[in-house]
Amino acid sequence: MAQGSDKDDRTRIILAHGGGGELTRRLLSDRIIPKLANDLLSPLADSAVIDPQPGKLCMTTDSYVVQPLEFSGGDIGRLAVCGTVNDLAVMGAKPIALSLAMVLEEGLDMAVLDRIVDSIAASARQAGVPVATGDTKVVERGGVGGGMTITTAGLGSLPPGMPPDPQTIAAGDAILVSGPIADHGLAVMAARKGLGIRSTLASDVAPLAGLVAALLNSGDGVKFMRDPTRGGLAGLLADLSEQLGRNIEIRERNVPLTPAARHAAELLGLDPLAVANEGKVVAVVAADAAEKVLAACRAHPLGAGAAIVGHIGETADWPLVELVTAAGGKRIVQRPYGEELPRIC
Amino acid sequence: MAQGSDKDDRTRIILAHGGGGELTRRLLSDRIIPKLANDLLSPLADSAVIDPQPGKLCMTTDSYVVQPLEFSGGDIGRLAVCGTVNDLAVMGAKPIALSLAMVLEEGLDMAVLDRIVDSIAASARQAGVPVATGDTKVVERGGVGGGMTITTAGLGSLPPGMPPDPQTIAAGDAILVSGPIADHGLAVMAARKGLGIRSTLASDVAPLAGLVAALLNSGDGVKFMRDPTRGGLAGLLADLSEQLGRNIEIRERNVPLTPAARHAAELLGLDPLAVANEGKVVAVVAADAAEKVLAACRAHPLGAGAAIVGHIGETADWPLVELVTAAGGKRIVQRPYGEELPRIC
């Protein structure tokens, strides 16, 4: 997909600014985060840890603009619930409440809205979290392309005890992925392009709190967790490598990928590593705890396809994520530059 | 403005569903709230009271789709901060944290974005609340009409002690409005239509926590507070009358309105009672405390133009809000039916 010129991306918002990649990072770190700086606003976490009361709270938010609104395995409503509770879950927080703000487009089919609200309600029940407050706006035809957008915010409580601590990450720690990657982004793209692979490819969108609890309860080996959404596994590992100042190595043959996803990625010309997931967690686990945590993950229905895909390397001034290909070669895994898949979540 | 046919509003979303009026109420109470029902989700309050920890929390959210993005007296960013902290303030809650989710349109001028982020930061500082977490999405040109939408969620803490209790409202209680009405909606419409009245008419958008604290600290006479945003004073009083099951009477000559607003409303053919405000609070106050609370309100910079505009009446099976006109006649004040002013907040 064409990228804007270097000049264009500084004078105007271009699609690439929203892709979860390098331009997004620059937009946030150069133009937004410094202006909003406060003790709670952290560029390193999707959730804020809030401590005004005895006991810590987590709060997070995301807007959802996926097109089409419904796709194999899910819809924008399920995505809006799961995406936000998963941001809490990977912080180790139990969701307390969700807020739900919808912007609806004039002309939206009421039957579609009904299905999506049903899906929100069902997903919230599944995640065990109440939709505690909300807002609904309507804009003129063409005011939100595609019928609707949803923004959810989530509030969670952190249980007493030590949450995963990325500061303890060391060379040799294992990188665990809880199952096959790229299904969500590919299912949405397949629905959008009308590819016949829809039937075998479905979004993985699911609430992850149970799976995360299983990982945490398996011992104290888990040092970091995050869900590989926009930017996919590649974006997550590039962020992690940069934040840790350490190289990371992953092995292509160990990265779980279904045949349907591999096929769809080839058809669509996409790198599965950079495609969004909505029901997976990536964890960094102490080397000596890796097998135990992997077993705990595989014992959970949402983690049956888990695998150890690589490990943390040494510190480096210019840390890199390297992929050992199936053929035995090596290539650098980069954060996607911009928006390869607009409106995927 | 034309309304959809009666059939249309049941099979499709029409503009009127988002206007804060009757059709909005029906959409929410028939199609959305029942499906999401839980102890925290209240149709009667803009904020949720959350009690998982010692001490109660408030959480609220709103999406902002105002057009144009900048107008006399404010912009979408200031609106998104003030609107949400004001929903907390009128619950008697102190804001703890805001979340900020932006959906940006490809092609948005970066200078506009910079100004709006500046405005968000300044407004958050003024309101004394951190933007604790956020999200930024970008959609294709035409994906959000007008450049951007913002959704904020707010978390607040309720101080120990009794919050205002609408259950104690009785006949004769006074209705206080903290200053001239309709400035926000009229300023936005004037900017949109390019009316030359811009210079004298400015949005009232402002954070109200300080004013609300002044009202609460003036004694225990305040029984209810709310900010008259979408639907204006008319919508707020119609809701209140219905929820209380009591008539309400207000006097046109007592309702504060600036000459510029009166002029603009006449030009635009709008009823100021139904136009949105973003820096006003409406309070129901015990009759014997009304003068004291009014004096406290007027002593605050944001409440200098406050007035007692009417009073609570008797219970009724079909409660009505009546306006005693300047000429001494009476008319029924109704909740706006639908969307008279799209994208005003």
Side-chain angles (χ1 to χ4, degrees):
Chain A
M1 206 162 284
Q3 302 294 346
S5 75
D6 197 50
K7 181 160 176 228
D8 208 24
D9 75 59
R10 273 178 245 159
T11 58
R12 290 181 175 277
I13 290 287
I14 61 174
L15 270 182
H17 280 121
E22 177 60 21
L23 279 188
T24 301
R25 194 190 64 74
R26 275 194 234 157
L27 177 71
L28 296 177
S29 65
D30 294 354
R31 292 179 177 265
I32 298 179
I33 289 174
K35 294 182 179 177
L36 302 175
N38 62 66
D39 288 344
L40 293 177
L41 184 66
S42 161
L44 300 183
D46 279 333
S47 298
V49 178
I50 301 169
D51 191 7
Q53 312 270 337
K56 289 177 192 281
L57 299 166
C58 266
M59 185 183 189
T60 186
T61 191
D62 268 301
S63 290
Y64 299 87
V65 297
V66 66
Q67 283 295 313
L69 298 174
E70 301 172 291
F71 43 83
S72 175
D75 58 73
I76 190 172
R78 180 165 174 78
L79 199 56
V81 171
C82 295
T84 292
V85 298
N86 289 350
D87 282 345
L88 295 175
V90 296
M91 296 284 287
K94 180 184 176 313
I96 300 169
L98 276 188
S99 67
L100 172 70
M102 298 192 288
V103 180
L104 309 177
E105 187 179 31
E106 180 187 17
L108 176 67
D109 189 332
M110 197 68 89
V112 173
L113 180 63
D114 285 348
R115 286 199 298 274
I116 287 169
V117 174
D118 284 338
S119 175
I120 290 168
S123 301
R125 272 195 303 274
Q126 188 187 358
V129 62
V131 177
T133 187
D135 178 49
T136 305
K137 295 282 193 304
V138 181
V139 295
E140 73 285 358
R141 206 174 287 261
V144 282
M148 71 187 301
T149 61
I150 300 180
T151 302
T152 44
L155 181 67
S157 66
L158 284 169
M162 290 299 287
D165 183 3
Q167 305 292 337
T168 63
I169 290 175
D173 285 352
I175 295 167
L176 178 149
V177 176
S178 65
I181 65 166
D183 289 348
H184 172 73
L186 293 170
V188 172
M189 289 304 289
R192 198 181 303 166
K193 306 250 178 189
L195 298 189
I197 48 180
R198 270 187 230 189
S199 54
T200 53
L201 192 66
S203 168
D204 60 341
V205 57
L208 292 172
L211 177 62
V212 163
L215 293 182
L216 291 176
N217 292 338
S218 68
D220 57 0
V222 176
K223 299 181 172 184
F224 169 87
M225 284 181 294
R226 189 113 172 220
D227 50 338
T229 54
R230 272 194 298 180
L233 183 59
L236 186 155
L237 294 179
D239 284 350
L240 183 63
S241 167
E242 184 179 305
Q243 287 164 24
L244 296 175
R246 288 182 177 274
N247 295 319
I248 289 177
E249 185 182 282
I250 60 172
R251 298 188 159 263
E252 189 172 24
R253 68 170 68 239
N254 293 353
V255 176
L257 189 67
T258 67
R262 187 186 308 276
H263 178 59
E266 282 168 8
L267 270 179
L268 294 162
L270 296 170
D271 177 2
L273 289 176
V275 173
N277 311 272
E278 294 289 347
K280 295 298 178 301
V281 63
V282 173
V284 177
V285 183
D288 58 5
E291 286 306 319
K292 193 172 62 173
V293 176
L294 178 63
C297 191
R298 286 182 172 164
H300 191 281
L302 292 176
I308 305 292
V309 300
H311 63 272
I312 301 290
E314 299 299 329
T315 58
D317 287 339
W318 298 94
L320 292 174
V321 180
E322 278 193 319
L323 177 77
V324 180
T325 66
K330 283 195 172 187
R331 75 169 169 89
I332 307 298
V333 176
Q334 290 188 287
R335 184 186 287 124
Y337 178 73
E339 181 64 277
E340 297 195 29
L341 297 175
R343 307 193 76 156
I344 214 73
C345 63
Chain B
M1 207 162 284
Q3 301 294 345
S5 74
D6 196 48
K7 182 160 173 230
D8 207 23
D9 75 60
R10 274 178 245 159
T11 58
R12 290 180 175 277
I13 291 288
I14 62 174
L15 269 182
H17 280 121
E22 178 59 22
L23 279 189
T24 301
R25 194 190 63 75
R26 275 194 235 158
L27 177 71
L28 296 177
S29 64
D30 294 354
R31 293 180 176 265
I32 298 179
I33 290 174
K35 294 181 178 176
L36 303 175
N38 60 66
D39 288 346
L40 294 177
L41 183 67
S42 162
L44 300 183
D46 280 333
S47 298
V49 177
I50 301 170
D51 192 4
Q53 312 270 336
K56 289 178 191 281
L57 297 167
C58 267
M59 184 183 189
T60 187
T61 191
D62 267 302
S63 290
Y64 299 87
V65 298
V66 66
Q67 284 295 311
L69 298 175
E70 301 174 290
F71 43 83
S72 175
D75 58 74
I76 190 171
R78 180 164 175 78
L79 199 57
V81 171
C82 295
T84 292
V85 299
N86 289 350
D87 281 345
L88 295 175
V90 296
M91 296 286 288
K94 179 184 176 314
I96 301 170
L98 277 188
S99 67
L100 172 70
M102 298 192 288
V103 179
L104 309 177
E105 187 179 31
E106 180 187 18
L108 176 67
D109 189 331
M110 197 67 89
V112 173
L113 179 63
D114 285 347
R115 287 199 298 274
I116 288 169
V117 174
D118 284 338
S119 175
I120 289 169
S123 301
R125 272 194 302 274
Q126 188 187 358
V129 62
V131 177
T133 186
D135 178 49
T136 305
K137 294 282 194 303
V138 181
V139 296
E140 73 284 358
R141 206 174 287 261
V144 283
M148 70 187 301
T149 61
I150 299 182
T151 302
T152 44
L155 181 68
S157 66
L158 284 169
M162 290 298 288
D165 183 3
Q167 304 291 336
T168 64
I169 291 175
D173 285 351
I175 294 167
L176 178 149
V177 176
S178 66
I181 64 166
D183 289 348
H184 172 72
L186 293 170
V188 172
M189 289 304 288
R192 198 181 302 166
K193 306 249 180 193
L195 298 188
I197 49 180
R198 272 187 230 189
S199 54
T200 52
L201 190 67
S203 169
D204 61 342
V205 57
L208 292 172
L211 177 63
V212 164
L215 294 181
L216 291 176
N217 292 338
S218 68
D220 57 0
V222 176
K223 299 181 174 184
F224 169 87
M225 284 181 294
R226 189 112 172 221
D227 50 337
T229 54
R230 273 193 298 180
L233 184 59
L236 187 155
L237 294 179
D239 283 351
L240 182 63
S241 167
E242 185 179 305
Q243 287 164 25
L244 296 175
R246 287 182 177 275
N247 295 319
I248 289 177
E249 185 182 282
I250 60 173
R251 295 186 163 267
E252 188 172 23
R253 67 170 68 239
N254 294 351
V255 175
L257 189 67
T258 67
R262 187 186 308 276
H263 178 60
E266 282 168 8
L267 271 179
L268 294 162
L270 296 169
D271 177 2
L273 289 176
V275 174
N277 310 273
E278 293 290 346
K280 296 298 178 301
V281 63
V282 173
V284 177
V285 183
D288 58 5
E291 286 306 319
K292 192 172 64 175
V293 175
L294 179 63
C297 191
R298 286 183 172 162
H300 190 280
L302 292 176
I308 305 290
V309 300
H311 64 271
I312 301 290
E314 299 299 329
T315 57
D317 287 339
W318 298 95
L320 291 174
V321 181
E322 279 193 319
L323 177 76
V324 180
T325 66
K330 282 195 172 185
R331 74 169 168 90
I332 306 299
V333 176
Q334 290 187 287
R335 182 186 288 124
Y337 178 73
E339 181 63 278
E340 297 196 31
L341 297 175
R343 307 193 76 155
I344 214 74
C345 63

